[in-house]
Amino acid sequence: MENSDSRSISEIESEQQASTEEAVSLVKNLEFDREVFAEFAALLDKFTPILISIKDNEKLMDRPPVQKAVGSIEKELSRAKDLIEGACSRSPIKQIEVVTQELGRSLGLVLFASIDASTEVKQSIAALHRELMNVKFDTCFTPSPSPSLSPSPSPCANHGPRPNKESGFVSEQDSFINEIKEEKISLSIDDVVRHLKCGNDEEFRLALLVLGDLIRDQVFEKEWINDEDIIPILFNRLGSSKPHNRLTTIQILRILASENDENKDKMTDAVCLSVLVKSLARDTDEGREAVGLLSELADISAVRRRIGRIQGCIVMLVTMHNGDDPTASQDAAKLLVALSSNPQNVLHMAEAGYFKPLVHCLKEGSDKSKILMATAVSRMELTDLCRASLGEDGAVEPLVRMFKSGKLEARLAALNALQNLSNLTENIKRLISSGIVVPLLQLLFSVTSVLMTLREPASAILARIAQSATILVKRDVAQQMLSLLNLSSPVIQYHLLQALNSIASHSSASKVRRKMKENCAVQLLLPFLTESNTNTRTAALNLLYTLSKDSPEEFMEQLGESYLSKIVGIISSPESESEKAAAIGILSNLPVGNKKSTEALKKLHFLPILISLMSSGASSSTTWLEESISGMLIRFTVPSDKKLQLFSAELGIIPILVKLLSSESSVAKCRAATSLAQLSQNSLALQKSRKSRWICMPPSADTFCQVHDGYCIIKSTFCLVKAGAVPPLIQILEGKDREADEAALNALATLLQDEIRESGSLYIAKTSGVQAIIRVLESGTVKAQEKALWMLERIFRIEEHRSQYGESAQVVLIDLAQNGDPRLKSTIARVLAQLELLQAQSSYF
């Protein structure tokens, strides 16, 4: 066939009319299924008067949509003719149904474009349109038998509904779709407009579906969209529509926006944009379409300006950008980039956790813009996640450049921003690698009055940087900070002391600590103990505590009795727990064997102060305070000084130590167990020395101790059994933390001294201690395993214990013998020999 574009519409209509008549003639000559094809012929017959009516209306024929629709009719009529000609060899019924409905669809396009046609013509077209779209040739086609084949029965005995291979749901779905089709067909273009304007939800839905078809098929020109105010109508209905209608509406608006700029311009007022922004927060599909439309409109400057002002818009865009929908995320990112031309929008993005535009401004913005962004960062309440994001996006480096080379306002804004970012370890590394340490120290040494405002944030950043061991590569940085201490304000002193303590606390900083003490750091710090500013005083105490760990004898000499008194005064005053913990920590680092310092502390009533702190419950709020107190109590329980032990027990130290066995801190538990072990070493001797005193005054039956086979009083014999210390000691062995195992075993081992070995073994077994000791062999340290083996060897001397616990112990012992530390081999062999699993002459000995 010739291309329809090269012929007149009149010629096309004449050819179509001839095709129709030819197709009808062919149908009438068919020798099979006459009923079906008669129906088809009747439908085709109805085209002739309609085509004549269209042909006679020149104004109608000039419309491009009508010309397009007529071309479609021509194509489908040709298909119908081809199908009928091939009907003798195969069943064309299903294909004829499709062709019929396609003819109906093409005729529908003519209907919607026939604005200028008479009412009578439009009604005729609509009637045939409806009939074509609803047609259903429900029959089974059976060709007449050929001479060479036997006739076969038809799958269907009569005309009726065809059996459906799918479930009943599919039939209902098909039925529902045909319902929808009928309603769409029944709508005229005027109905569409009316339903869009004021129809109910169902009418509006149908009108949207028809409108979508019309737009996709380009049935009408853009003037009709403008004349009928379609875009304002759609936006007006968008806010109040049901979800499925909103989705369809936005999809239609996107198609219209893509067609021409005039349509876009009608979508740019604040009301329209606000309605679209609301859709961002609705369901996934609607939000995706809404952000897609907004990103398409964002090439208009007015849109960018207005969108940024809509409350919550940027927050929702950032949320979508971070979401799981890749299409929505991409469109949101595109829109955020478009909006970032406005500095205020950039700040809103940063507040919502999207920092890339802000970092871009820090790198490439004007000086004014850089200051604005840096100031914003300094004032934000950033989470660590936000600090990490800013660091990863590259905010640290441009801020450091601003500090190094900017004017005063820029330098201050940059420092304050960096101070906020430096709370994160990863950013500290970035600060050091950017070369900021030396300029910070230079600034602190500066005496220029103009730069004084920069010194406080500079010192705060140095304090944070010092937390990283990387700073140790900067030679003499600690000495420079020490020299600045007496030249600075209290705030700067506080930050410098924090920095010095961080530097001195690094595990690889022993040389730095030694050099600090050689440069009189202790003498420089001690006057800070009388400082009225609590923060500064606490920071000085923390640094002194760190320095007191090395060379305690030397530190004791530098401290002197006067400052010892000041430290005890801090502990007894109502100061913060962290300050008290540091002060007690300093004293706990003093040499335990130094009797001079112990006597000085006794004179200062230091032990009652510690016991009061523990009894009041103040220590439980700070782990460090518990650890400091428990470390200090070791000094007052040394086994070589029974008089000091009695003094401590009379003050109530033992219940405090038992309480510390249940601390959450393994360090506190370890230290408390050590003190109890020191006390229990003398229990047997103290119990014997008091037997003679009880002849005239019989003691209470409650004081009788089955382990020591005598009468024990906690304050005078330090008995672990009467103190209730054995169960919590065993609980330490049963726990997950292994740090306190050795100390707990040492305490329990005092119940296995030769004189009380049998009774002690029995008591440990009675309190489920044997299994706990065996457990230490499985996962304890070598020293703890060594002590556990020593204890088991003494416990297994008793037949009853070998019988009860030998089997569970032997598996662990054999594994330890094969895989454990070689130093344990001989002790393991002795225990295995006790269990008769190894001969006494074995090479293991």
Side-chain angles (χ1 to χ4, degrees):
M1 295 181 67
E2 292 182 333
N3 191 305
S4 60
D5 293 341
S6 65
R7 296 169 293 155
S8 69
I9 294 300
S10 177
E11 290 174 334
I12 293 172
E13 291 291 350
S14 298
E15 289 179 10
Q16 286 183 349
Q17 188 176 338
S19 295
T20 302
E21 292 169 355
E22 186 179 357
V24 171
S25 174
L26 283 169
V27 167
K28 290 177 180 177
N29 292 328
L30 284 174
E31 295 180 356
F32 53 86
D33 242 337
R34 292 183 178 276
E35 185 176 339
V36 172
F37 286 97
E39 184 181 349
F40 183 47
L43 289 171
L44 294 180
D45 244 346
K46 294 178 181 179
F47 264 90
T48 303
I50 288 174
L51 290 173
I52 292 170
S53 299
I54 296 171
K55 179 181 174 184
D56 291 342
N57 191 327
E58 293 181 3
K59 190 173 182 181
L60 181 61
M61 292 303 296
D62 287 337
R63 295 179 64 81
V66 174
Q67 295 172 11
K68 183 178 178 181
V70 167
S72 296
I73 291 172
E74 178 188 22
K75 181 181 176 183
E76 296 306 326
L77 283 171
S78 178
R79 280 184 63 193
K81 177 183 171 184
D82 292 341
L83 284 169
I84 295 165
E85 287 176 343
C88 294
S89 59
R90 56 186 173 82
S91 170
I93 302 300
K94 186 62 182 175
Q95 291 92 328
I96 287 177
E97 277 187 2
V98 173
V99 169
T100 305
Q101 290 181 353
E102 286 299 321
L103 282 167
R105 186 170 176 275
S106 298
L107 195 60
L109 298 179
V110 174
L111 174 63
F112 284 114
S114 302
I115 298 171
D116 302 317
S118 66
T119 303
E120 184 181 352
V121 170
K122 284 198 284 187
Q123 287 176 348
S124 300
I125 295 173
L128 181 55
H129 179 214
R130 246 189 323 270
E131 193 171 359
L132 291 168
M133 295 304 294
N134 290 330
V135 75
K136 201 79 169 177
F137 297 110
D138 286 334
T139 185
C140 291
F141 171 68
T142 307
S144 53
S146 65
S148 60
L149 294 174
S150 305
S152 58
S154 169
C156 300
N158 51 41
H159 300 304
R162 289 169 292 176
N164 199 323
K165 293 181 182 178
E166 306 295 335
S167 65
F169 169 77
V170 176
S171 297
E172 291 175 12
Q173 188 180 46
D174 289 342
S175 174
F176 175 74
I177 290 170
N178 292 331
E179 187 181 308
I180 295 295
K181 284 182 178 179
E182 287 174 7
E183 291 185 57
K184 285 170 65 177
I185 291 163
S186 66
L187 289 182
S188 70
I189 201 159
D190 294 332
D191 294 333
V192 169
V193 176
R194 187 172 66 256
H195 289 340
L196 288 175
K197 285 181 179 178
C198 53
N200 59 31
D201 288 326
E202 186 59 26
E203 290 170 339
F204 183 56
R205 180 173 68 92
L206 287 169
L208 285 174
L209 294 175
V210 174
L211 179 63
D213 289 343
L214 297 176
I215 292 171
R216 277 186 287 273
D217 294 328
Q218 297 181 337
V219 170
F220 40 68
E221 291 132 358
K222 64 179 182 179
E223 288 77 14
W224 181 82
I225 296 289
N226 296 334
D227 294 343
E228 297 294 345
D229 288 331
I230 296 298
I231 292 173
I233 290 171
L234 291 176
F235 271 105
N236 187 49
R237 294 296 300 267
L238 182 58
S240 59
S241 298
K242 289 188 174 180
H244 58 270
N245 286 345
R246 290 199 301 267
L247 177 60
T248 307
T249 302
I250 299 172
Q251 289 170 336
I252 290 171
L253 286 169
R254 288 193 72 178
I255 295 171
L256 293 173
S258 67
E259 288 186 346
N260 57 69
D261 291 341
E262 189 178 350
N263 286 347
K264 276 187 178 181
D265 290 337
K266 292 181 180 297
M267 304 179 190
T268 59
D269 68 75
V271 175
C272 294
L273 296 174
S274 296
V275 173
L276 281 177
V277 167
K278 288 180 182 177
S279 289
L280 296 177
R282 289 173 172 146
D283 69 55
T284 305
D285 291 337
E286 184 178 343
R288 186 194 307 118
E289 294 296 333
V291 74
L293 178 53
L294 286 170
S295 69
E296 290 159 13
L297 297 175
D299 55 358
I300 301 170
S301 59
V303 171
R304 296 194 295 273
R305 186 173 62 253
R306 289 165 187 160
I307 289 177
R309 293 174 183 169
I310 299 173
Q311 187 174 7
C313 176
I314 288 176
V315 173
M316 286 186 278
L317 288 174
V318 171
T319 303
M320 294 185 85
H321 174 55
N322 296 329
D324 298 328
D325 187 322
T327 303
S329 176
Q330 186 176 353
D331 284 333
K334 177 183 173 185
L335 186 51
L336 287 168
V337 170
L339 295 177
S340 64
S341 58
N342 184 313
Q344 202 59 44
N345 290 342
V346 172
L347 296 179
H348 288 317
M349 291 175 201
E351 288 167 0
Y354 182 62
F355 299 106
K356 286 183 179 178
L358 181 145
V359 173
H360 179 77
C361 288
L362 287 174
K363 290 178 178 178
E364 300 182 19
S366 64
D367 289 345
K368 183 179 179 181
S369 177
K370 289 178 181 178
I371 293 171
L372 177 65
M373 298 305 155
T375 303
V377 173
S378 70
R379 293 174 180 173
M380 287 178 188
E381 294 184 8
L382 297 173
T383 63
D384 282 348
L385 193 63
C386 290
R387 291 188 180 96
S389 182
L390 276 161
E392 290 163 6
D393 289 343
V396 172
E397 293 76 10
L399 286 170
V400 171
R401 287 197 296 271
M402 280 178 69
F403 161 63
K404 286 180 178 179
S405 57
K407 294 180 181 178
L408 180 62
E409 186 183 6
R411 296 183 74 184
L412 181 60
L415 277 178
N416 287 330
L418 289 169
Q419 183 180 349
N420 199 353
L421 295 178
S422 65
N423 280 318
L424 189 73
T425 304
E426 288 78 5
N427 287 340
I428 290 173
K429 295 174 184 176
R430 294 183 178 103
L431 281 166
I432 294 173
S433 63
S434 67
I436 198 174
V437 176
V438 173
L440 287 175
L441 287 169
Q442 290 172 346
L443 174 61
L444 291 174
F445 276 107
S446 172
V447 292
T448 306
S449 58
V450 178
L451 300 177
M452 295 304 285
T453 55
L454 304 178
R455 298 181 75 203
E456 286 189 10
S459 63
I461 294 169
L462 266 179
R464 304 267 170 71
I465 288 176
Q467 294 172 12
S468 171
T470 315
I471 197 172
L472 296 176
V473 302
K474 306 290 183 183
R475 292 187 61 187
D476 298 328
V477 66
Q479 315 315 318
Q480 293 180 61
M481 289 185 189
L482 275 173
S483 64
L484 284 167
L485 276 177
N486 289 329
L487 305 174
S488 306
S489 67
V491 174
I492 296 174
Q493 285 176 334
Y494 168 65
H495 290 312
L496 289 173
L497 288 166
Q498 276 189 316
L500 285 164
N501 187 47
S502 293
I503 292 170
S505 297
H506 292 305
S507 58
S508 55
S510 57
K511 291 182 180 178
V512 174
R513 291 194 294 271
R514 185 174 68 249
K515 196 165 186 180
M516 285 173 70
K517 285 189 278 189
E518 288 172 359
N519 289 336
C520 304
V522 174
Q523 291 90 332
L524 185 65
L525 292 169
L526 286 173
F528 281 99
L529 298 182
T530 58
E531 170 64 49
S532 59
N533 185 289
T534 304
N535 288 336
T536 305
R537 189 172 64 246
T538 303
L541 280 166
N542 288 337
L543 181 53
L544 282 168
Y545 167 71
T546 301
L547 296 175
S548 69
K549 294 177 182 178
D550 301 327
S551 307
E553 292 284 355
E554 180 188 341
F555 183 83
M556 179 63 199
E557 292 175 10
Q558 291 176 317
L559 189 62
E561 287 193 20
S562 62
Y563 282 112
L564 187 69
S565 175
K566 285 183 172 63
I567 291 173
V568 172
I570 289 170
I571 296 167
S572 61
S573 65
E575 301 297 342
S576 67
E577 278 79 5
S578 59
E579 189 174 359
K580 290 177 183 179
I584 296 170
I586 291 169
L587 299 182
S588 67
N589 285 336
L590 300 179
V592 172
N594 189 312
K595 292 188 176 181
K596 183 180 177 182
S597 60
T598 302
E599 287 301 315
L601 290 170
K602 280 179 70 177
K603 287 179 185 177
L604 292 168
H605 306 289
F606 180 56
L607 187 56
I609 293 170
L610 290 184
I611 292 171
S612 175
L613 275 175
M614 283 298 301
S615 301
S616 67
S619 65
S620 60
S621 62
T622 307
T623 300
W624 187 20
L625 187 55
E626 278 192 343
E627 292 174 355
S628 298
I629 291 174
S630 59
M632 196 69 228
L633 295 180
I634 294 174
R635 168 186 293 278
F636 292 95
T637 58
V638 289
S640 59
D641 193 339
K642 292 179 185 176
K643 187 177 178 181
L644 180 61
Q645 284 188 329
L646 286 168
F647 168 77
S648 303
E650 287 291 337
L651 289 173
I653 194 175
I654 294 176
I656 298 298
L657 292 169
V658 173
K659 179 183 176 182
L660 283 167
L661 291 176
S662 300
S663 168
E664 292 183 4
S665 165
S666 56
V667 173
K669 287 189 284 192
C670 179
R671 290 172 175 176
T674 300
S675 290
L676 286 168
Q678 292 183 159
L679 289 164
S680 184
Q681 287 176 36
N682 291 323
S683 290
L684 188 61
L686 290 170
Q687 188 268 338
K688 286 180 178 178
S689 68
R690 276 157 173 66
K691 281 186 177 178
S692 59
R693 299 183 188 179
W694 291 337
I695 295 173
C696 298
M697 186 183 296
S700 167
D702 293 339
T703 63
F704 183 78
C705 175
Q706 55 186 300
V707 174
H708 295 110
D709 194 27
Y711 295 94
C712 288
I713 299 172
I714 297 172
K715 288 186 177 182
S716 57
T717 63
F718 324 141
C719 176
L720 293 181
V721 176
K722 290 301 177 184
V726 176
L729 285 168
I730 291 172
Q731 196 170 11
I732 289 173
L733 303 180
E734 292 172 340
K736 295 180 180 179
D737 198 342
R738 306 270 62 89
E739 193 172 344
D741 281 352
E742 186 184 354
L745 288 168
N746 285 335
L748 291 170
T750 61
L751 301 181
L752 297 175
Q753 296 176 67
D754 290 339
E755 298 91 332
I756 56 173
R757 177 179 53 78
E758 289 192 18
S759 58
S761 296
L762 184 64
Y763 188 79
I764 289 172
K766 182 181 175 182
T767 51
S768 306
V770 179
Q771 286 287 18
I773 294 168
I774 293 171
R775 188 172 184 271
V776 173
L777 294 178
E778 296 181 76
S779 55
T781 63
V782 174
K783 286 190 175 181
Q785 289 173 334
E786 189 174 16
K787 195 67 182 181
L789 286 167
W790 181 89
M791 295 175 71
L792 286 175
E793 190 273 332
R794 298 180 80 80
I795 290 169
F796 285 158
R797 290 178 191 178
I798 301 170
E799 172 60 32
E800 181 185 348
H801 298 329
R802 290 199 301 274
S803 174
Q804 186 173 356
Y805 302 105
E807 188 174 346
S808 60
Q810 69 181 36
V811 177
V812 180
L813 287 165
I814 291 169
D815 181 68
L816 194 62
Q818 294 172 341
N819 305 309
D821 192 284
R823 289 172 291 179
L824 305 176
K825 224 173 187 183
S826 60
T827 312
I828 294 170
R830 283 197 297 274
V831 179
L832 287 172
Q834 283 180 306
L835 299 175
E836 298 180 352
L837 295 172
L838 198 67
Q839 292 182 352
Q841 298 84 5
S842 170
S843 61
Y844 269 97
F845 291 102

